[in-house]
Each structure stands twice: as structure tokens, then as C-alpha cells.
């Protein structure tokens, strides 16, 4: 999976968790918790959605790598096939 595909998957997962989120204004390095007001349940839903759509097994120790658009994109590029 290249960076463009990974970013699209991450953005799709965000919109499934936060319908209507303005992704055009999203700072790629801003934590989702602040930028999108993700709470813990939103984050878990986001991680589950990413895993379902990519087939990537995401462990709890991976969560810190998924807290912003840039980081989540890079994680998928490194782990998705």
C-alpha cells in the first residue's frame, strides 16, 4: 500500500467514526483527540475500522502510532500489503 492509498483508508476510517468531519482542515500532525475530538471509544472504533479495511492486525502497543493522520498513514504503509 502506498502513501496515497493509506491516507485514503485513514480518512475513510475517520469519516466512519466521525461523520461529517472536515478533513480538508485537518493538520496531518495534530492528534485526532484534539483535532476531531476523538474520545477513547471513537479511537477504538477507528482502529477497528482500519484493521477491518486493511487486514492489518493492530495491537494495543501500536496505538501510539495511530494518533494523527500522518502517523496512521505511515503505519499502514509499513504494515499493509
Amino acid at each position: 500500500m502506498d502513501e496515497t492509498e493509506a491516507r485514503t483508508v485513514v480518512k475513510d476510517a475517520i469519516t466512519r467514526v466521525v461523520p461529517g468531519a472536515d478533513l480538508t482542515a485537518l493538520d496531518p500532525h495534530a492528534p485526532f483527540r484534539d483535532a476531531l475530538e476523538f474520545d477513547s471509544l471513537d479511537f477504538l472504533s477507528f482502529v477497528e475500522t482500519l484493521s477491518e479495511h486493511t487486514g492489518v492486525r493492530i495491537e494495543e502497543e501500536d496505538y501510539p502510532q495511530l494518533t494523527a493522520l500522518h502517523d496512521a498513514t505511515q503505519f499502514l504503509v509499513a504494515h499493509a500489503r
Side-chain angles (χ1 to χ4, degrees):
M1 175 176 292
D2 68 24
E3 191 168 337
T4 301
E5 292 170 315
R7 185 178 299 267
T8 299
V9 169
V10 172
K11 286 182 174 183
D12 182 61
I14 291 169
T15 59
R16 290 175 186 269
V17 175
V18 183
D22 181 9
L23 301 179
T24 59
L26 182 62
D27 176 347
H29 299 283
F32 294 140
R33 177 176 292 159
D34 299 332
L36 300 170
E37 299 180 14
F38 261 27
D39 62 22
S40 297
L41 292 176
D42 292 334
F43 183 74
L44 290 175
S45 294
F46 167 72
V47 170
E48 184 177 286
T49 301
L50 281 181
S51 183
E52 288 174 0
H53 288 293
T54 62
V56 173
R57 185 173 179 171
I58 302 172
E59 303 292 340
E60 191 171 344
E61 64 255 14
D62 298 325
Y63 290 2
Q65 298 176 65
L66 302 169
T67 59
L69 177 61
H70 175 267
D71 300 336
T73 299
Q74 294 306 307
F75 177 85
L76 289 182
V77 168
H79 294 90
R81 303 195 183 247

